């Protein structure tokens, strides 16, 4: 090992599966752009090996980790202290590791999502009727920042209604958010803003949501991303939605927020986002 390799700061993303993660590419592009010296790898870890993977990376001198599916809630439990967004979502996607092994947890998903909406897509949230489809890990980080942007209302629809109710309860049962089943959605008029936070499509299923949710004025956003249209984006296009986009922007923006926490420099996301979409 050369001297420069020994001193280079190491970061990684931990998840399962991890082979297709774009985080290493994004962080290496950020490092190139900002002139920061760092290495960034991908680590596959099952839930039972997650803690060992985190502690082992820290013990080997690693400085920080991004955490992805299915470990964000386990990461929250593991961290010694957490930022306000992580505490609110009870989920962590960014760990900063101190020299003594202390783990600081942050959640940049909500900030990344809102930044993509407001800066890249210029999509308003204030006074909009918002529909979130799915009440799992992906929905968890975006609800509080959406509520803070003062929509007219948020409907949180989930196949398992109890999970939507429990998530709302966990967030302190704020005003302006209502749990509904997919069946109950059928009697609602089209929403201004429809967000897919389910994992449908990962295994090739067709979207199970009522078509009445989407109209010609609906803006549709998939938190998932893919090199071709995701099933949700294809479904929304077939329903003639005003616009249907994938979560590439959120992916790059949440990564930029993590990079800034670790390195104190904010990368310019526009050229990287362009490159990733290509
Ligand atoms: P993630 O962390 O990606 O959100 P998760 O916590 O397992 O993963 O949540 C997956 C979400 O997708 C849940 O809202 C799940 O609905 P249930 O709570 O009813 O399980 C939803 N989901 C997954 N497959 C689905 C399907 N075939 N139809 C409808 N909803 C589905």
């Amino acid at each position: 090992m050369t001297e420069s390799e020994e001193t280079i700061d190491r970061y990684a993303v931990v998840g399962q599966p991890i082979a297709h993660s774009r985080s290493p590419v994004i962080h290496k592009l950020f490092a190139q752009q900002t002139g920061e010296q760092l290495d960034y790898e991908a680590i596959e870890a099952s839930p039972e090996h997650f803690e060992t993977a985190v502690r082992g990376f820290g013990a080997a001198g690693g400085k920080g980790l991004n955490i992805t599916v299915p470990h964000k809630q386990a990461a929250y439990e593991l961290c010694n202290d957490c930022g306000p967004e992580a505490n609110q979502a009870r989920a962590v996607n960014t760990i900063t590791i101190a020299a003594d092994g202390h783990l600081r947890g942050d959640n940049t998903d909500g900030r990344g999502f809102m930044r993509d909406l407001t800066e890249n897509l210029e999509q308003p949230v204030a006074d909009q009727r918002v529909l979130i489809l799915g009440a799992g890990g992906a929905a968890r980080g975006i609800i509080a920042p959406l509520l803070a942007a003062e929509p007219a209302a948020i409907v949180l629809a989930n196949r398992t209604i109890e999970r939507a109710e429990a998530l709302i309860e966990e967030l302190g049962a704020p005003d302006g958010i209502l749990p509904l089943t997919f069946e109950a959605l059928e009697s609602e008029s089209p929403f201004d803003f429809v967000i897919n936070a389910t994992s449908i499509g990962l295994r090739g299923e067709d979207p199970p949501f009522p078509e009445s949710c989407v109209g010609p004025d609906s803006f549709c956003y998939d938190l998932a991303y893919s090199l071709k249209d995701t099933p949700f984006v294809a479904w929304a296009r077939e329903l003639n939605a005003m616009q249907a986009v994938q979560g590439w922007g959120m992916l790059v923006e949440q990564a930029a927020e993590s990079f800034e926490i670790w390195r104190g420099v904010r990368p310019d996301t526009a050229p990287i986002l362009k490159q990733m979409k290509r």
Side-chain angles (χ1 to χ4, degrees):
M1 199 185 269
T2 65
E3 202 174 316
S4 65
E5 277 172 335
E6 258 172 39
T7 54
I8 211 163
D9 289 342
R10 289 176 59 218
Y11 298 87
V13 57
V14 185
Q16 187 183 48
I18 204 65
H20 299 292
S21 170
R22 303 282 155 167
S23 294
V25 174
I26 294 172
H27 281 276
K28 283 174 188 167
L29 289 170
F30 287 166
Q32 255 173 30
Q33 187 200 61
T34 56
E36 292 287 304
Q37 295 294 317
L38 58 87
D39 185 41
Y40 192 108
E41 59 193 287
I43 298 173
E44 171 114 17
S46 62
E48 55 277 24
H49 293 119
F50 174 66
E51 180 169 354
T52 315
V54 172
R55 300 225 187 268
F57 189 75
K63 300 276 189 211
L65 291 166
N66 281 129
I67 308 300
T68 187
V69 176
H71 303 309
K72 290 183 189 181
Q73 281 167 274
Y76 176 70
E77 300 300 330
L78 201 59
C79 284
N80 302 100
D81 81 287
C82 285
E85 290 100 340
N87 280 326
Q88 200 153 35
R90 296 195 194 186
V92 157
N93 77 337
T94 306
I95 297 181
T96 307
I97 309 171
D100 64 357
H102 178 278
L103 303 175
R104 155 78 185 196
D106 286 287
N107 193 323
T108 65
D109 285 336
R111 253 183 290 158
F113 173 64
M114 294 309 287
R115 206 168 166 114
D116 189 36
L117 284 186
T118 53
E119 309 268 319
N120 303 334
L121 298 162
E122 296 178 0
Q123 164 63 21
V125 177
D127 302 323
Q128 303 278 296
R129 278 178 72 240
V130 180
L131 170 62
I132 302 175
L133 298 159
R140 199 165 265 279
I142 62 164
I143 295 175
L146 278 171
L147 277 169
E150 301 187 338
I154 297 182
V155 168
L156 181 65
N158 202 43
R159 174 176 61 181
T160 317
I161 185 73
E162 294 78 12
R163 221 173 155 199
E165 289 166 348
L167 182 52
I168 293 172
E169 205 53 44
E170 212 184 281
L171 291 166
D175 285 342
I177 178 161
L178 178 76
L180 282 185
T181 60
F182 292 153
E183 294 72 43
L185 277 181
E186 279 168 27
S187 50
E188 294 282 320
S189 53
F191 287 80
D192 302 312
F193 187 8
V194 182
I195 301 160
N196 176 40
T198 70
S199 54
I200 61 115
L202 291 184
R203 288 170 298 272
E205 314 97 314
D206 286 327
F209 321 123
E211 295 185 353
S212 54
C213 302
V214 173
D217 296 323
S218 302
F219 175 86
C220 297
Y221 191 108
D222 196 344
L223 297 185
Y225 50 86
S226 154
L227 289 176
K228 46 184 195 167
D229 277 355
T230 59
F232 174 76
V233 162
W235 175 79
R237 289 234 171 90
E238 264 169 38
L239 296 172
N240 295 316
M242 180 180 70
Q243 206 180 336
V245 300
Q246 304 189 22
W248 284 107
M250 176 179 178
L251 175 74
V252 172
E253 296 296 345
Q254 62 78 30
E257 300 282 338
S258 298
F259 192 90
E260 189 175 0
I261 288 173
W262 291 330
R263 311 299 300 183
V265 196
R266 200 188 151 83
D268 176 8
T269 50
I272 314 288
L273 182 51
K274 227 173 180 180
Q275 205 164 334
M276 296 310 295
K277 280 183 179 165
R278 246 191 277 132

